[in-house]
Amino acid sequence: MDAAHIRNFSIIAHIDHGKTTLSDRLLHMTGTIATRDMEDQLLDAMDLERERGITIKAHPVTMLYKAKNGETYELNLIDTPGHVDFAYEVSRSLSACEGALLIIDAAQGVEAQTVANVHLAMKQNLLIIPVINKIDLPHANIPQAKQQLEDIIAIPAEDAILASAKEGIGIEDILEAIVARVPAPVPSGAKSFQALIFDSYFDTYKGVVILVRITSGELKAGMHVKLLHSGKTVEVKEVGSFNPKPYTRDRLEVGETGYITANIKTPREVKVGDTITDPRNPSTELPGFQEIRPMVFSGIYPINTADYEQLKVAVSKLQLNDSALTFQTESSVALGFGLRCGFLGLLHMEIVQERLRREFDMDIIATYPSVVYQIKMTDGTEKQVDNPAFMPDVTYIDTIFEPIVKAFVICPGVNIGDIMSLIAEKRGEIRTTETLDARRVMLTCKIPLNEILIDFHDRIKSITRGYGSMDYEPEGHEASDMVKLDMMVNGEVMEAFSSLVHRSKAEARGRMIAAKLKDVIPRQQFQVAIQAAIGGKFIARETISALRKDVTAKCYGGDISRKRKLLEKQKEGKKRMKTVGSVEIPQEAFVEVLKTN
């Protein structure tokens, strides 16, 4: 189809604002899906996506729409994941579009993720069409949603389309607005064929399926193409689009989106954001490419050590459809063999662990998640550390830099004091406070990434009774006073419990783990000391008292010296036992302590 009749757009929204329902309705309205084939959350293929109401993997769809002017247009919807963990994938998907539908819930108004996603769309210079959704709800507040649209996002309220995806209200207006407002794709002006890879997935029969947007020239089966960043040249076997199931086409032309297959067997060879071009006359690469780097690391171990090989196979299979997941083998004295996995963020980590449990029936334990610290050594070299075990000796460290994020927290005005104290407790720094409406405020703050890893989001939800929302974006590294906290049992360092913490929080954390270990380690015949240490300095201690056998039970009457002699003999034995004895820590103890973290 000629470029003037093509429209590429995306849908951006906060979680649960009706993005997936609207995409279902657009598919139905354009006749892409027959009424008998309709089902809810059509573009969400995984059970996990349907349950949580989130999009984990992006899905493109090509729709043909006959507009009121009598012309037929090709509308390419590139559905994107909504969560910040997948921000790079979202930015690549958005760069394949010219416009975006911004969905705002009429009852809830603008949320934290709405703001973050609009920033991404504006960076890509997309035309934004605001849609106020769920207007059929009895508690919908349309004037307030329009006011927030102008005040927070600076988009004129008269541009907004009122709709209800569930009831099918305003869907035709949205389609007409896409045709009228979203600009047609313009060729990039490259000297030869050029296309952007905005996603890929693995198919058991076809190998890696690459999702592309053509920016110059045309693409047909039988052509040879080169992937610029991996330097690989391949022959295109099949070309097609989605409706939403894949179907083959003769060719893809400028401005169109679709897929290609080319006998590529490993997803690692295909990088999101890479450029495909003609190998004989290569064009320049498209801007914005980055290597995807994990932000959060965690060890995953099978609860039954015999399942290690099975775990390795399961993670390898997951990696086929998730190239952002990285892993390497590691072993721990306490937990046996396992895998050190790198994730894009917390939601990504949670999803991978949940999929291992569900799809592969694995019983796993995950260690305390850590982030990547940049360490400047005294000799001027730099080192990246994501595991406390690899922390260099403190005498060789000059400065430790920890990753910082910029967080947007939206909460009811009545909870602002509690949220501010939570941010202060997490070593955060509040930059701005904006009043959104009569009820809600938005705090913009700077906060270390490792502080929001575990319970930050949960605590915001509990403080605000579920009305708070939060989103964040990376903001580089800052120098910080981080220390390695070691836990020692009977004088031996337990690597499984080591962690990197800020000096101000080390003592509290050391006391907490020591108290927990005291509860879960069984008593021995001798006294056992549990200590938390930073370098050579002990900062917390708990003592497990010895089990004492009543050696005087057989002494009936007689002189006290007989009993004293037996007690002295027992004391000597305990002293010798303490010097040679070792404490066996049961597997359950590790599981319990990691749960409290």
Side-chain angles (χ1 to χ4, degrees):
M1 189 173 278
D2 66 310
H5 286 77
I6 295 171
R7 301 287 184 270
N8 295 314
F9 70 99
S10 180
I11 303 179
I12 54 177
H14 185 79
I15 285 175
D16 206 28
H17 277 206
K19 181 173 90 163
T20 309
T21 313
L22 180 65
S23 55
D24 290 350
R25 197 61 64 211
L26 292 175
L27 289 171
H28 186 222
M29 188 84 177
T30 54
T32 310
I33 293 286
T35 307
R36 64 199 169 104
D37 296 329
M38 273 306 287
E39 55 177 287
D40 288 342
Q41 291 175 270
L42 206 71
L43 296 182
D44 289 345
M46 285 182 229
D47 291 342
L48 211 55
E49 290 182 308
R50 289 164 179 269
E51 276 174 33
R52 292 186 174 220
I54 53 175
T55 301
I56 297 165
K57 196 79 182 140
H59 296 269
V61 189
T62 299
M63 301 175 275
L64 292 175
Y65 172 63
K66 191 168 184 181
K68 285 179 181 173
N69 61 12
E71 304 274 337
T72 300
Y73 291 85
E74 182 183 304
L75 308 182
N76 293 311
L77 160 61
I78 299 168
D79 191 21
T80 59
H83 200 270
V84 63
D85 287 4
F86 310 106
Y88 173 65
E89 288 175 47
V90 174
S91 79
R92 292 303 84 211
S93 297
L94 292 179
S95 63
C97 306
E98 280 77 35
L101 294 178
L102 169 66
I103 314 282
I104 295 169
D105 187 325
Q108 293 179 9
V110 172
E111 297 274 4
Q113 234 169 304
T114 321
V115 178
N117 284 335
V118 167
H119 287 176
L120 270 179
M122 285 177 169
K123 269 185 203 165
Q124 304 287 349
N125 294 322
L126 299 191
L127 182 123
I128 295 173
I129 301 173
V131 175
I132 295 175
N133 192 23
K134 304 191 184 182
I135 59 167
D136 58 312
L137 291 178
H139 55 290
N141 190 338
I142 298 165
Q144 182 183 293
K146 285 186 171 181
Q147 189 64 45
Q148 289 180 4
L149 193 62
E150 290 194 338
D151 295 349
I152 304 164
I153 305 175
I155 294 174
E158 61 266 18
D159 291 353
I161 299 167
L162 302 182
S164 166
K166 193 174 181 183
E167 298 297 325
I169 303 165
I171 306 301
E172 197 171 344
D173 297 342
I174 293 170
L175 288 165
E176 287 296 326
I178 291 166
V179 168
R181 297 192 211 171
V182 176
V186 179
S188 64
K191 60 184 177 181
S192 64
F193 165 73
Q194 186 188 48
L196 167 76
I197 298 175
F198 63 85
D199 207 353
S200 67
Y201 67 89
F202 187 79
D203 184 284
T204 316
Y205 303 104
K206 297 176 182 176
V208 179
V209 178
I210 305 171
L211 309 187
V212 293
R213 149 79 195 264
I214 313 298
T215 53
S216 176
E218 64 174 27
L219 183 61
K220 291 189 230 173
M223 279 174 63
H224 282 81
V225 294
K226 182 180 182 181
L227 284 71
L228 279 184
H229 274 273
S230 58
K232 195 177 172 74
T233 300
V234 292
E235 185 188 345
V236 178
K237 297 287 180 193
E238 187 183 304
V239 171
S241 289
F242 298 87
N243 69 349
K245 293 192 166 51
Y247 67 95
T248 54
R249 292 173 65 168
D250 296 335
R251 65 179 56 153
L252 289 174
E253 297 173 331
V254 174
E256 294 189 313
T257 59
Y259 72 87
I260 63 168
T261 60
N263 278 357
I264 300 173
K265 291 183 176 62
T266 57
R268 265 167 279 179
E269 292 174 20
V270 178
K271 298 180 188 297
V272 173
D274 199 351
T275 306
I276 304 179
T277 184
D278 185 344
R280 290 161 303 180
N281 182 19
S283 61
T284 53
E285 82 172 81
L286 290 158
F289 174 78
Q290 288 173 7
E291 287 279 355
I292 297 183
R293 287 201 174 84
M295 295 273 286
V296 176
F297 287 83
S298 174
I300 292 181
Y301 292 85
I303 284 181
N304 179 0
T305 46
D307 292 340
Y308 168 65
E309 286 301 326
Q310 198 182 331
L311 174 69
K312 211 169 167 183
V313 170
V315 175
S316 304
K317 283 183 180 172
L318 272 187
Q319 200 182 35
L320 289 176
N321 273 327
D322 188 354
S323 53
L325 171 66
T326 61
F327 72 92
Q328 61 191 58
T329 53
E330 75 168 2
S331 63
S332 150
V333 178
L335 301 170
F337 286 101
L339 302 171
R340 183 88 181 158
C341 298
F343 309 95
L344 293 173
L346 286 179
L347 179 79
H348 189 209
M349 180 173 89
E350 211 177 303
I351 285 163
V352 168
Q353 289 174 8
E354 189 67 26
R355 286 183 71 186
L356 282 172
R357 290 188 181 104
R358 281 189 190 193
E359 295 171 27
F360 300 96
D361 207 19
M362 294 295 307
D363 281 333
I364 54 168
I365 173 173
T367 61
Y368 192 80
S370 66
V371 296
V372 186
Y373 295 93
Q374 289 183 354
I375 298 176
K376 188 181 174 190
M377 311 295 280
T378 47
D379 61 0
T381 57
E382 286 199 356
K383 186 175 180 181
Q384 291 197 331
V385 172
D386 62 71
N387 189 341
F390 303 133
M391 183 83 166
D393 191 276
V394 69
T395 50
Y396 300 111
I397 297 173
D398 180 36
T399 320
I400 299 177
F401 297 90
E402 67 174 339
I404 300 289
V405 295
K406 178 183 180 181
F408 307 98
V409 180
I410 291 182
C411 67
V414 292
N415 303 122
I416 189 167
D418 293 334
I419 293 290
M420 281 178 157
S421 57
L422 171 65
I423 291 168
E425 181 195 320
K426 297 290 186 183
R427 297 191 290 124
E429 185 185 299
I430 295 168
R431 288 177 174 169
T432 58
T433 309
E434 289 175 62
T435 304
L436 303 185
D437 53 46
R439 292 184 306 111
R440 299 185 312 158
V441 289
M442 180 165 88
L443 307 175
T444 307
C445 56
K446 180 185 84 174
I447 199 162
L449 178 61
N450 78 328
E451 291 288 346
I452 63 172
L453 284 182
I454 301 297
D455 61 349
F456 187 65
H457 194 259
D458 294 345
R459 286 183 61 189
I460 285 176
K461 287 288 181 194
S462 59
I463 287 170
T464 62
R465 294 179 176 81
Y467 288 104
S469 65
M470 168 231 164
D471 205 350
Y472 64 90
E473 54 191 45
E475 208 183 59
H477 287 70
E478 266 189 19
S480 183
D481 187 12
M482 304 302 291
V483 290
K484 182 185 177 188
L485 177 70
D486 284 318
M487 296 306 299
M488 300 171 80
V489 177
N490 207 27
E492 284 181 44
V493 176
M494 295 284 139
E495 280 293 350
F497 300 126
S498 295
S499 57
L500 291 171
V501 288
H502 193 264
R503 194 180 293 276
S504 64
K505 298 200 164 186
E507 188 177 329
R509 186 167 158 71
R511 286 184 189 284
M512 184 194 79
I513 298 178
K516 190 70 188 172
L517 282 173
K518 184 184 178 184
D519 291 342
V520 294
I521 293 176
R523 287 170 71 187
Q524 309 291 319
Q525 290 285 334
F526 52 91
Q527 198 182 64
V528 176
I530 300 168
Q531 294 156 308
I534 298 172
K537 184 183 174 190
F538 296 116
I539 56 168
R541 172 178 171 131
E542 293 282 350
T543 307
I544 301 174
S545 54
L547 277 171
R548 183 166 170 270
K549 182 183 173 188
D550 189 1
V551 288
T552 59
K554 60 180 182 283
C555 285
Y556 293 104
D559 190 32
I560 186 69
S561 59
R562 285 180 66 199
K563 289 187 180 182
R564 201 168 285 147
K565 190 175 169 187
L566 287 169
L567 290 168
E568 285 297 324
K569 196 173 172 186
Q570 184 187 37
K571 197 172 169 185
E572 284 299 314
K574 284 204 184 293
K575 198 183 285 181
R576 192 168 73 250
M577 196 188 287
K578 190 173 182 180
T579 57
V580 296
S582 64
V583 181
E584 280 288 317
I585 300 179
Q587 180 91 11
E588 300 78 60
F590 290 95
V591 178
E592 281 300 314
V593 173
L594 289 167
K595 270 184 195 164
T596 61
N597 286 342

